[in-house]
Amino acid sequence: MPTPAQRLLIIDDDDMFCHVLSRALGRRGYEISVAHDPDEALALAVEHKPTMATLDLKLEHSSGLKLLPDLLATAPQCRVVVLTGYSSIATAVEAIKLGAVNYLCKPADADDVINAFEQQQGDPDTEVADNPPSVNRITWEHIQKVLQEHDGNISATARALGMHRRTLQRKLQKRPVRR
C-alpha cells in the first residue's frame, strides 16, 4: 500500500492506457497525474512534484528517452519506470543509464508497475534463455540500436542501415519480434 505522499505521474500518449492505469493505481491510494506529451509532463512535474513516474518510450512526437533527463532534473526525487510496446536491449540500457529505475514491456498492468517500482536491486536468479534470439529479433534489436545512435532520426538511420526510409518506417510500425 502506498504512503500518503506517493504521487505518480503517468506519461503516455495512449488515452485508454492512461485511463486504465490511473484508475487502477488511484484505487490503490496513489495520487495520479497524467501527461500526454513532454511539455505537459514537465509542467505537471513542477506542479505536483511526483515521487514516481511511468514514462512511455515512444510518445507521439518524441522519445521518452529524450524526456527522461529533463524529467529527472525537474523532479530529482522521482523514480521513473519506462514502459514500452517497442522494447529493445539498446533502449533498455539507455533508459537505465539515463536514470530510469526499471524498464517494462507493454502490456503491463498496475501490479507490474508497482512491482517495478518496489524492485530495488537486480535479480541474479533471472532465467537466461536456452536459445539465442531469432534472426528477426536480432534485426529488430540492431535497427533499434542504430535508431538510438541517430537520436531517432529515421532518414539518418535508414542511410546508416542502407535501406529506403519508407522500408525502415514500415519495419518500425510493426510490433517487436518475440525472442
Side-chain angles (χ1 to χ4, degrees):
M1 205 60 190
T3 62
Q6 287 187 313
R7 294 173 304 279
L8 176 67
L9 174 58
I10 299 170
I11 307 164
D12 200 303
D13 55 4
D14 182 336
D15 289 329
M16 183 56 72
F17 179 78
C18 290
H19 173 74
V20 170
L21 188 60
S22 63
R23 205 167 127 203
L25 291 170
R27 286 184 186 152
R28 289 174 168 87
Y30 292 86
E31 293 175 30
I32 307 294
S33 309
V34 176
H36 299 291
D37 62 60
D39 293 335
E40 187 180 10
L42 293 174
L44 285 172
V46 168
E47 183 181 340
H48 294 285
K49 297 179 182 31
T51 56
M52 298 181 290
T54 61
L55 175 59
D56 188 16
L57 181 66
K58 190 173 180 179
L59 298 168
E60 188 171 346
H61 299 291
S62 184
S63 161
L65 291 179
K66 290 183 189 250
L67 174 58
L68 185 54
D70 293 336
L71 179 63
L72 290 173
T74 303
Q77 75 287 354
C78 188
R79 294 172 40 94
V80 179
V81 170
V82 172
L83 294 170
T84 184
Y86 299 89
S87 64
S88 74
I89 293 169
T91 57
V93 169
E94 289 305 316
I96 300 304
K97 282 182 181 177
L98 291 169
V101 297
N102 218 323
Y103 182 98
L104 289 178
C105 299
K106 289 180 180 176
D109 62 20
D111 291 330
D112 295 331
V113 170
I114 291 168
N115 289 338
F117 280 116
E118 290 176 352
Q119 186 179 5
Q120 298 291 322
Q121 298 177 351
D123 181 2
D125 294 325
T126 299
E127 299 265 339
V128 176
D130 290 333
N131 299 319
S134 69
V135 171
N136 289 336
R137 182 63 191 197
I138 292 169
T139 302
W140 172 263
E141 295 284 347
H142 182 66
I143 289 171
Q144 293 299 315
K145 178 181 176 280
V146 175
L147 184 63
Q148 182 65 34
E149 289 170 356
H150 290 91
D151 296 322
N153 183 312
I154 300 291
S155 296
T157 301
R159 279 191 299 275
L161 292 170
M163 69 173 55
H164 195 279
R165 183 181 51 81
R166 278 187 250 145
T167 302
L168 177 58
Q169 286 174 317
R170 278 194 299 276
K171 288 181 178 284
L172 290 171
Q173 288 175 347
K174 296 178 182 177
R175 289 273 181 196
V177 179
R178 295 259 182 232
R179 303 226 171 247

PDB file of all heavy atoms in Angstrom, residues 1-2 4 8-9 15 18 20 25 28 32 42 44 47 59 74-75 85-86 97 101 111 113 124 150 152 155 159 163:
ATOM      1  N   MET A   1       0.844  -1.187   0.000  1.00  0.00           N
ATOM      2  CA  MET A   1       0.000   0.000   0.000  1.00  0.00           C
ATOM      3  C   MET A   1       0.886   1.245   0.000  1.00  0.00           C
ATOM      4  O   MET A   1       1.871   1.297   0.706  1.00  0.00           O
ATOM      5  CB  MET A   1      -0.855  -0.046   1.267  1.00  0.00           C
ATOM      6  CG  MET A   1      -2.148   0.706   1.208  1.00  0.00           C
ATOM      7  SD  MET A   1      -3.216   0.081  -0.087  1.00  0.00           S
ATOM      8  CE  MET A   1      -4.420   1.350  -0.022  1.00  0.00           C
ATOM      9  N   PRO A   2       0.553   2.234  -0.819  1.00  0.00           N
ATOM     10  CA  PRO A   2       1.404   3.423  -0.903  1.00  0.00           C
ATOM     11  C   PRO A   2       1.302   4.293   0.338  1.00  0.00           C
ATOM     12  O   PRO A   2       0.303   4.280   1.044  1.00  0.00           O
ATOM     13  CB  PRO A   2       0.866   4.165  -2.123  1.00  0.00           C
ATOM     14  CG  PRO A   2      -0.552   3.730  -2.217  1.00  0.00           C
ATOM     15  CD  PRO A   2      -0.588   2.320  -1.717  1.00  0.00           C
ATOM     16  N   PRO A   4       1.002   8.081   2.034  1.00  0.00           N
ATOM     17  CA  PRO A   4       0.164   9.187   1.587  1.00  0.00           C
ATOM     18  C   PRO A   4       0.853  10.146   0.619  1.00  0.00           C
ATOM     19  O   PRO A   4       0.196  10.795  -0.169  1.00  0.00           O
ATOM     20  CB  PRO A   4      -0.188   9.905   2.892  1.00  0.00           C
ATOM     21  CG  PRO A   4       0.023   8.901   3.962  1.00  0.00           C
ATOM     22  CD  PRO A   4       1.077   7.964   3.466  1.00  0.00           C
ATOM     23  N   LEU A   8       2.119   9.787  -8.373  1.00  0.00           N
ATOM     24  CA  LEU A   8       2.543   9.110  -9.592  1.00  0.00           C
ATOM     25  C   LEU A   8       2.131   9.921 -10.811  1.00  0.00           C
ATOM     26  O   LEU A   8       0.975  10.300 -10.950  1.00  0.00           O
ATOM     27  CB  LEU A   8       1.915   7.720  -9.665  1.00  0.00           C
ATOM     28  CG  LEU A   8       2.172   6.912 -10.928  1.00  0.00           C
ATOM     29  CD1 LEU A   8       3.641   6.532 -11.042  1.00  0.00           C
ATOM     30  CD2 LEU A   8       1.321   5.668 -10.949  1.00  0.00           C
ATOM     31  N   LEU A   9       3.101  10.176 -11.681  1.00  0.00           N
ATOM     32  CA  LEU A   9       2.857  10.848 -12.943  1.00  0.00           C
ATOM     33  C   LEU A   9       2.916   9.798 -14.048  1.00  0.00           C
ATOM     34  O   LEU A   9       3.928   9.109 -14.200  1.00  0.00           O
ATOM     35  CB  LEU A   9       3.921  11.930 -13.178  1.00  0.00           C
ATOM     36  CG  LEU A   9       3.916  12.650 -14.514  1.00  0.00           C
ATOM     37  CD1 LEU A   9       2.581  13.335 -14.776  1.00  0.00           C
ATOM     38  CD2 LEU A   9       5.067  13.654 -14.575  1.00  0.00           C
ATOM     39  N   ASP A  15      -4.478   7.367 -24.591  1.00  0.00           N
ATOM     40  CA  ASP A  15      -5.516   7.777 -23.639  1.00  0.00           C
ATOM     41  C   ASP A  15      -6.106   6.601 -22.861  1.00  0.00           C
ATOM     42  O   ASP A  15      -6.303   6.690 -21.658  1.00  0.00           O
ATOM     43  CB  ASP A  15      -6.650   8.520 -24.358  1.00  0.00           C
ATOM     44  CG  ASP A  15      -6.241   9.892 -24.828  1.00  0.00           C
ATOM     45  OD1 ASP A  15      -5.390  10.525 -24.171  1.00  0.00           O
ATOM     46  OD2 ASP A  15      -6.785  10.350 -25.864  1.00  0.00           O
ATOM     47  N   CYS A  18      -3.678   5.238 -20.263  1.00  0.00           N
ATOM     48  CA  CYS A  18      -3.601   6.189 -19.139  1.00  0.00           C
ATOM     49  C   CYS A  18      -4.821   6.061 -18.235  1.00  0.00           C
ATOM     50  O   CYS A  18      -4.696   6.059 -17.012  1.00  0.00           O
ATOM     51  CB  CYS A  18      -3.489   7.624 -19.649  1.00  0.00           C
ATOM     52  SG  CYS A  18      -1.911   7.997 -20.411  1.00  0.00           S
ATOM     53  N   VAL A  20      -6.913   3.479 -17.839  1.00  0.00           N
ATOM     54  CA  VAL A  20      -6.951   2.195 -17.118  1.00  0.00           C
ATOM     55  C   VAL A  20      -5.914   2.173 -15.995  1.00  0.00           C
ATOM     56  O   VAL A  20      -6.220   1.799 -14.857  1.00  0.00           O
ATOM     57  CB  VAL A  20      -6.740   1.022 -18.103  1.00  0.00           C
ATOM     58  CG1 VAL A  20      -6.533  -0.294 -17.367  1.00  0.00           C
ATOM     59  CG2 VAL A  20      -7.925   0.916 -19.053  1.00  0.00           C
ATOM     60  N   LEU A  25      -4.342   2.383 -10.271  1.00  0.00           N
ATOM     61  CA  LEU A  25      -3.408   2.846  -9.247  1.00  0.00           C
ATOM     62  C   LEU A  25      -4.068   3.849  -8.297  1.00  0.00           C
ATOM     63  O   LEU A  25      -3.715   3.909  -7.123  1.00  0.00           O
ATOM     64  CB  LEU A  25      -2.161   3.436  -9.897  1.00  0.00           C
ATOM     65  CG  LEU A  25      -1.283   2.394 -10.604  1.00  0.00           C
ATOM     66  CD1 LEU A  25      -0.195   3.062 -11.426  1.00  0.00           C
ATOM     67  CD2 LEU A  25      -0.691   1.419  -9.610  1.00  0.00           C
ATOM     68  N   ARG A  28      -5.613   2.099  -5.530  1.00  0.00           N
ATOM     69  CA  ARG A  28      -4.625   1.595  -4.569  1.00  0.00           C
ATOM     70  C   ARG A  28      -4.053   2.715  -3.698  1.00  0.00           C
ATOM     71  O   ARG A  28      -3.130   2.491  -2.936  1.00  0.00           O
ATOM     72  CB  ARG A  28      -3.507   0.880  -5.323  1.00  0.00           C
ATOM     73  CG  ARG A  28      -3.953  -0.457  -5.915  1.00  0.00           C
ATOM     74  CD  ARG A  28      -2.830  -1.025  -6.775  1.00  0.00           C
ATOM     75  NE  ARG A  28      -3.041  -2.398  -7.160  1.00  0.00           N
ATOM     76  CZ  ARG A  28      -3.718  -2.795  -8.225  1.00  0.00           C
ATOM     77  NH1 ARG A  28      -4.289  -1.909  -9.012  1.00  0.00           N
ATOM     78  NH2 ARG A  28      -3.842  -4.080  -8.513  1.00  0.00           N
ATOM     79  N   ILE A  32      -2.655  10.518  -8.639  1.00  0.00           N
ATOM     80  CA  ILE A  32      -2.301  10.340 -10.048  1.00  0.00           C
ATOM     81  C   ILE A  32      -2.398  11.652 -10.823  1.00  0.00           C
ATOM     82  O   ILE A  32      -3.360  12.397 -10.676  1.00  0.00           O
ATOM     83  CB  ILE A  32      -3.245   9.312 -10.722  1.00  0.00           C
ATOM     84  CG1 ILE A  32      -3.285   7.989  -9.947  1.00  0.00           C
ATOM     85  CG2 ILE A  32      -2.867   9.108 -12.179  1.00  0.00           C
ATOM     86  CD1 ILE A  32      -2.005   7.212  -9.941  1.00  0.00           C
ATOM     87  N   LEU A  42       6.487  17.903 -18.021  1.00  0.00           N
ATOM     88  CA  LEU A  42       7.381  18.766 -17.247  1.00  0.00           C
ATOM     89  C   LEU A  42       6.603  19.777 -16.412  1.00  0.00           C
ATOM     90  O   LEU A  42       6.972  20.054 -15.266  1.00  0.00           O
ATOM     91  CB  LEU A  42       8.378  19.459 -18.174  1.00  0.00           C
ATOM     92  CG  LEU A  42       9.389  18.521 -18.846  1.00  0.00           C
ATOM     93  CD1 LEU A  42      10.243  19.278 -19.849  1.00  0.00           C
ATOM     94  CD2 LEU A  42      10.250  17.811 -17.817  1.00  0.00           C
ATOM     95  N   LEU A  44       3.569  19.344 -15.169  1.00  0.00           N
ATOM     96  CA  LEU A  44       2.982  18.605 -14.046  1.00  0.00           C
ATOM     97  C   LEU A  44       4.054  18.199 -13.034  1.00  0.00           C
ATOM     98  O   LEU A  44       3.791  18.156 -11.829  1.00  0.00           O
ATOM     99  CB  LEU A  44       2.234  17.371 -14.546  1.00  0.00           C
ATOM    100  CG  LEU A  44       0.887  17.647 -15.214  1.00  0.00           C
ATOM    101  CD1 LEU A  44       0.336  16.377 -15.851  1.00  0.00           C
ATOM    102  CD2 LEU A  44      -0.113  18.214 -14.216  1.00  0.00           C
ATOM    103  N   GLU A  47       4.579  21.213 -10.893  1.00  0.00           N
ATOM    104  CA  GLU A  47       3.398  21.497 -10.069  1.00  0.00           C
ATOM    105  C   GLU A  47       3.152  20.449  -8.989  1.00  0.00           C
ATOM    106  O   GLU A  47       2.895  20.783  -7.837  1.00  0.00           O
ATOM    107  CB  GLU A  47       2.170  21.595 -10.982  1.00  0.00           C
ATOM    108  CG  GLU A  47       0.887  21.952 -10.257  1.00  0.00           C
ATOM    109  CD  GLU A  47      -0.297  22.018 -11.211  1.00  0.00           C
ATOM    110  OE1 GLU A  47      -0.094  22.166 -12.433  1.00  0.00           O
ATOM    111  OE2 GLU A  47      -1.429  21.915 -10.727  1.00  0.00           O
ATOM    112  N   LEU A  59       6.583   8.273 -27.443  1.00  0.00           N
ATOM    113  CA  LEU A  59       5.499   9.248 -27.414  1.00  0.00           C
ATOM    114  C   LEU A  59       5.202   9.670 -28.849  1.00  0.00           C
ATOM    115  O   LEU A  59       6.024   9.483 -29.743  1.00  0.00           O
ATOM    116  CB  LEU A  59       5.892  10.445 -26.549  1.00  0.00           C
ATOM    117  CG  LEU A  59       6.159  10.105 -25.079  1.00  0.00           C
ATOM    118  CD1 LEU A  59       6.813  11.280 -24.375  1.00  0.00           C
ATOM    119  CD2 LEU A  59       4.868   9.702 -24.394  1.00  0.00           C
ATOM    120  N   THR A  74      13.922  18.131 -13.357  1.00  0.00           N
ATOM    121  CA  THR A  74      12.787  18.886 -12.833  1.00  0.00           C
ATOM    122  C   THR A  74      12.284  18.301 -11.512  1.00  0.00           C
ATOM    123  O   THR A  74      11.904  19.040 -10.613  1.00  0.00           O
ATOM    124  CB  THR A  74      11.635  18.895 -13.870  1.00  0.00           C
ATOM    125  OG1 THR A  74      12.128  19.440 -15.088  1.00  0.00           O
ATOM    126  CG2 THR A  74      10.454  19.698 -13.381  1.00  0.00           C
ATOM    127  N   ALA A  75      12.292  16.980 -11.416  1.00  0.00           N
ATOM    128  CA  ALA A  75      11.804  16.286 -10.213  1.00  0.00           C
ATOM    129  C   ALA A  75      12.843  15.241  -9.800  1.00  0.00           C
ATOM    130  O   ALA A  75      12.671  14.049 -10.037  1.00  0.00           O
ATOM    131  CB  ALA A  75      10.455  15.632 -10.502  1.00  0.00           C
ATOM    132  N   GLY A  85       5.912  -0.685 -25.749  1.00  0.00           N
ATOM    133  CA  GLY A  85       5.488  -1.793 -26.589  1.00  0.00           C
ATOM    134  C   GLY A  85       6.540  -2.082 -27.639  1.00  0.00           C
ATOM    135  O   GLY A  85       6.381  -2.963 -28.465  1.00  0.00           O
ATOM    136  N   TYR A  86       7.624  -1.311 -27.639  1.00  0.00           N
ATOM    137  CA  TYR A  86       8.686  -1.425 -28.634  1.00  0.00           C
ATOM    138  C   TYR A  86      10.020  -1.666 -27.932  1.00  0.00           C
ATOM    139  O   TYR A  86      10.968  -0.910 -28.099  1.00  0.00           O
ATOM    140  CB  TYR A  86       8.755  -0.148 -29.478  1.00  0.00           C
ATOM    141  CG  TYR A  86       7.480   0.100 -30.234  1.00  0.00           C
ATOM    142  CD1 TYR A  86       6.447   0.828 -29.657  1.00  0.00           C
ATOM    143  CD2 TYR A  86       7.297  -0.413 -31.504  1.00  0.00           C
ATOM    144  CE1 TYR A  86       5.262   1.040 -30.344  1.00  0.00           C
ATOM    145  CE2 TYR A  86       6.121  -0.206 -32.197  1.00  0.00           C
ATOM    146  CZ  TYR A  86       5.103   0.521 -31.617  1.00  0.00           C
ATOM    147  OH  TYR A  86       3.941   0.720 -32.292  1.00  0.00           O
ATOM    148  N   LYS A  97      20.743   3.895 -18.045  1.00  0.00           N
ATOM    149  CA  LYS A  97      21.866   4.844 -17.994  1.00  0.00           C
ATOM    150  C   LYS A  97      21.375   6.266 -17.738  1.00  0.00           C
ATOM    151  O   LYS A  97      22.058   7.050 -17.076  1.00  0.00           O
ATOM    152  CB  LYS A  97      22.644   4.832 -19.317  1.00  0.00           C
ATOM    153  CG  LYS A  97      23.574   3.677 -19.500  1.00  0.00           C
ATOM    154  CD  LYS A  97      24.296   3.871 -20.831  1.00  0.00           C
ATOM    155  CE  LYS A  97      25.239   2.785 -21.177  1.00  0.00           C
ATOM    156  NZ  LYS A  97      25.845   3.021 -22.509  1.00  0.00           N
ATOM    157  N   VAL A 101      14.616   3.610 -13.122  1.00  0.00           N
ATOM    158  CA  VAL A 101      14.869   2.554 -12.143  1.00  0.00           C
ATOM    159  C   VAL A 101      14.447   1.183 -12.659  1.00  0.00           C
ATOM    160  O   VAL A 101      14.847   0.171 -12.107  1.00  0.00           O
ATOM    161  CB  VAL A 101      14.172   2.835 -10.786  1.00  0.00           C
ATOM    162  CG1 VAL A 101      14.724   4.102 -10.161  1.00  0.00           C
ATOM    163  CG2 VAL A 101      12.669   2.892 -10.923  1.00  0.00           C
ATOM    164  N   ASP A 111      -0.199  -4.035 -11.219  1.00  0.00           N
ATOM    165  CA  ASP A 111       0.676  -4.846 -10.359  1.00  0.00           C
ATOM    166  C   ASP A 111       2.102  -4.884 -10.903  1.00  0.00           C
ATOM    167  O   ASP A 111       3.064  -4.810 -10.136  1.00  0.00           O
ATOM    168  CB  ASP A 111       0.126  -6.271 -10.217  1.00  0.00           C
ATOM    169  CG  ASP A 111      -1.163  -6.316  -9.420  1.00  0.00           C
ATOM    170  OD1 ASP A 111      -1.356  -5.454  -8.535  1.00  0.00           O
ATOM    171  OD2 ASP A 111      -1.989  -7.218  -9.688  1.00  0.00           O
ATOM    172  N   VAL A 113       3.543  -2.565 -12.663  1.00  0.00           N
ATOM    173  CA  VAL A 113       4.121  -1.241 -12.445  1.00  0.00           C
ATOM    174  C   VAL A 113       4.558  -1.084 -10.987  1.00  0.00           C
ATOM    175  O   VAL A 113       5.671  -0.646 -10.704  1.00  0.00           O
ATOM    176  CB  VAL A 113       3.122  -0.135 -12.853  1.00  0.00           C
ATOM    177  CG1 VAL A 113       3.607   1.239 -12.418  1.00  0.00           C
ATOM    178  CG2 VAL A 113       2.899  -0.171 -14.369  1.00  0.00           C
ATOM    179  N   PRO A 124      19.882 -11.813  -9.539  1.00  0.00           N
ATOM    180  CA  PRO A 124      20.875 -12.690 -10.177  1.00  0.00           C
ATOM    181  C   PRO A 124      20.299 -14.051 -10.575  1.00  0.00           C
ATOM    182  O   PRO A 124      20.921 -14.787 -11.334  1.00  0.00           O
ATOM    183  CB  PRO A 124      21.964 -12.845  -9.112  1.00  0.00           C
ATOM    184  CG  PRO A 124      21.290 -12.548  -7.827  1.00  0.00           C
ATOM    185  CD  PRO A 124      20.182 -11.577  -8.138  1.00  0.00           C
ATOM    186  N   HIS A 150      21.267   7.519 -33.833  1.00  0.00           N
ATOM    187  CA  HIS A 150      20.938   8.667 -34.681  1.00  0.00           C
ATOM    188  C   HIS A 150      19.810   9.505 -34.066  1.00  0.00           C
ATOM    189  O   HIS A 150      19.089  10.214 -34.786  1.00  0.00           O
ATOM    190  CB  HIS A 150      20.579   8.194 -36.096  1.00  0.00           C
ATOM    191  CG  HIS A 150      21.768   7.682 -36.837  1.00  0.00           C
ATOM    192  ND1 HIS A 150      22.137   6.362 -36.815  1.00  0.00           N
ATOM    193  CD2 HIS A 150      22.704   8.322 -37.580  1.00  0.00           C
ATOM    194  CE1 HIS A 150      23.241   6.197 -37.530  1.00  0.00           C
ATOM    195  NE2 HIS A 150      23.612   7.371 -37.990  1.00  0.00           N
ATOM    196  N   GLY A 152      16.888   8.990 -33.031  1.00  0.00           N
ATOM    197  CA  GLY A 152      15.528   8.796 -33.523  1.00  0.00           C
ATOM    198  C   GLY A 152      15.290   9.324 -34.926  1.00  0.00           C
ATOM    199  O   GLY A 152      14.163   9.282 -35.415  1.00  0.00           O
ATOM    200  N   SER A 155      15.547   9.168 -41.281  1.00  0.00           N
ATOM    201  CA  SER A 155      16.324   9.282 -42.525  1.00  0.00           C
ATOM    202  C   SER A 155      17.785   8.911 -42.302  1.00  0.00           C
ATOM    203  O   SER A 155      18.379   8.154 -43.087  1.00  0.00           O
ATOM    204  CB  SER A 155      16.219  10.701 -43.086  1.00  0.00           C
ATOM    205  OG  SER A 155      14.888  10.981 -43.449  1.00  0.00           O
ATOM    206  N   ARG A 159      19.771   5.639 -43.888  1.00  0.00           N
ATOM    207  CA  ARG A 159      21.045   5.761 -44.619  1.00  0.00           C
ATOM    208  C   ARG A 159      22.110   4.859 -43.986  1.00  0.00           C
ATOM    209  O   ARG A 159      22.846   4.160 -44.689  1.00  0.00           O
ATOM    210  CB  ARG A 159      21.523   7.214 -44.637  1.00  0.00           C
ATOM    211  CG  ARG A 159      20.853   8.063 -45.687  1.00  0.00           C
ATOM    212  CD  ARG A 159      21.532   9.413 -45.850  1.00  0.00           C
ATOM    213  NE  ARG A 159      21.528  10.225 -44.643  1.00  0.00           N
ATOM    214  CZ  ARG A 159      20.533  11.011 -44.264  1.00  0.00           C
ATOM    215  NH1 ARG A 159      19.439  11.089 -44.999  1.00  0.00           N
ATOM    216  NH2 ARG A 159      20.614  11.710 -43.153  1.00  0.00           N
ATOM    217  N   MET A 163      19.076   1.192 -46.226  1.00  0.00           N
ATOM    218  CA  MET A 163      17.736   0.835 -46.686  1.00  0.00           C
ATOM    219  C   MET A 163      16.933   2.101 -46.972  1.00  0.00           C
ATOM    220  O   MET A 163      17.300   3.184 -46.540  1.00  0.00           O
ATOM    221  CB  MET A 163      17.014  -0.058 -45.675  1.00  0.00           C
ATOM    222  CG  MET A 163      16.611   0.586 -44.372  1.00  0.00           C
ATOM    223  SD  MET A 163      15.581  -0.447 -43.305  1.00  0.00           S
ATOM    224  CE  MET A 163      16.513  -1.918 -43.113  1.00  0.00           C
TER     225      MET A 163
END
